[in-house]
Amino acid sequence: MAWSFPDPEACHAWGERLGEILTLPAMIFLEGDLGVGKTTLARGVLRGFGVGGRVKSPSYTLIETYSTARGPALHLDLYRLSDGEELEFLGIRDYLGETALWLIEWPERGGGFLPEPDLRLRLSITSPGHHRLEALLATERAESWLMSLCGGDGDGD
């Protein structure tokens, strides 16, 4: 499944709709080059999931955690990791024991230390300001989320 967005706001809005229908646990990998909109998409998902207030980028902290009425949400940005083993120093095993929403940017940098995702969202820029999102499903739960987003017809925008 794939979607095209004319601007970052449309990408954020799509993420917000996804966040509204997610069920826990949810492990979502956000993939793509620098500047393609991974954090924008994550902010939308978190907003839709019920995170109020400011949604900070975890670029320097590596992980931001949020409490919501629906359960915990964790947003990780692993760009600065030089080795997946560094996740051990963050206490990743303790976090993985929680039933939560996980949004992980640059998941390939955590190789060997992260479970398989329910959903991989790959972002790219097709022309200035225009984004393409490709959804790669790994679980039936993720398929149900995207079918809900598509109104049951399985087609993206």
Side-chain angles (χ1 to χ4, degrees):
M1 290 184 190
W3 292 263
S4 295
F5 305 120
D7 52 45
E9 292 77 18
C11 183
H12 184 279
W14 186 94
E16 196 166 339
R17 288 192 311 272
L18 176 63
E20 290 169 355
I21 61 172
L22 288 174
T23 55
L24 298 183
M27 176 73 65
I28 301 173
F29 287 179
L30 304 171
E31 303 172 339
D33 294 334
L34 279 171
V36 297
K38 294 182 297 294
T39 300
T40 297
L41 179 60
R43 285 182 171 137
V45 173
L46 290 166
R47 186 70 62 218
F49 192 70
V51 174
R54 185 167 180 258
V55 176
K56 299 181 280 185
S57 171
S59 293
Y60 293 99
T61 58
L62 300 181
I63 186 168
E64 291 290 338
T65 60
Y66 301 93
S67 295
T68 75
R70 294 172 58 195
L74 298 97
H75 181 194
L76 287 75
D77 183 334
L78 306 183
Y79 181 75
R80 297 189 181 283
L81 291 187
S82 58
D83 187 300
E85 192 171 0
E86 291 177 58
L87 287 172
E88 290 292 327
F89 300 115
L90 291 174
I92 195 73
R93 290 181 198 267
D94 294 333
Y95 285 114
L96 288 172
E98 290 186 59
T99 299
L101 164 60
W102 288 79
L103 298 171
I104 304 177
E105 298 183 40
W106 300 97
E108 65 275 12
R109 302 216 175 183
F113 292 89
L114 296 173
E116 287 298 311
D118 293 299
L119 180 61
R120 290 178 185 272
L121 298 176
R122 291 191 180 151
L123 283 159
S124 58
I125 295 177
T126 56
S127 63
H130 288 75
H131 297 77
R132 175 178 167 79
L133 180 137
E134 182 181 1
L136 303 166
L137 306 169
T139 65
E140 288 181 20
R141 184 170 57 251
E143 183 176 5
S144 73
W145 301 332
L146 294 185
M147 293 301 282
S148 292
L149 272 178
C150 298
D153 64 11
D155 292 327
D157 293 337

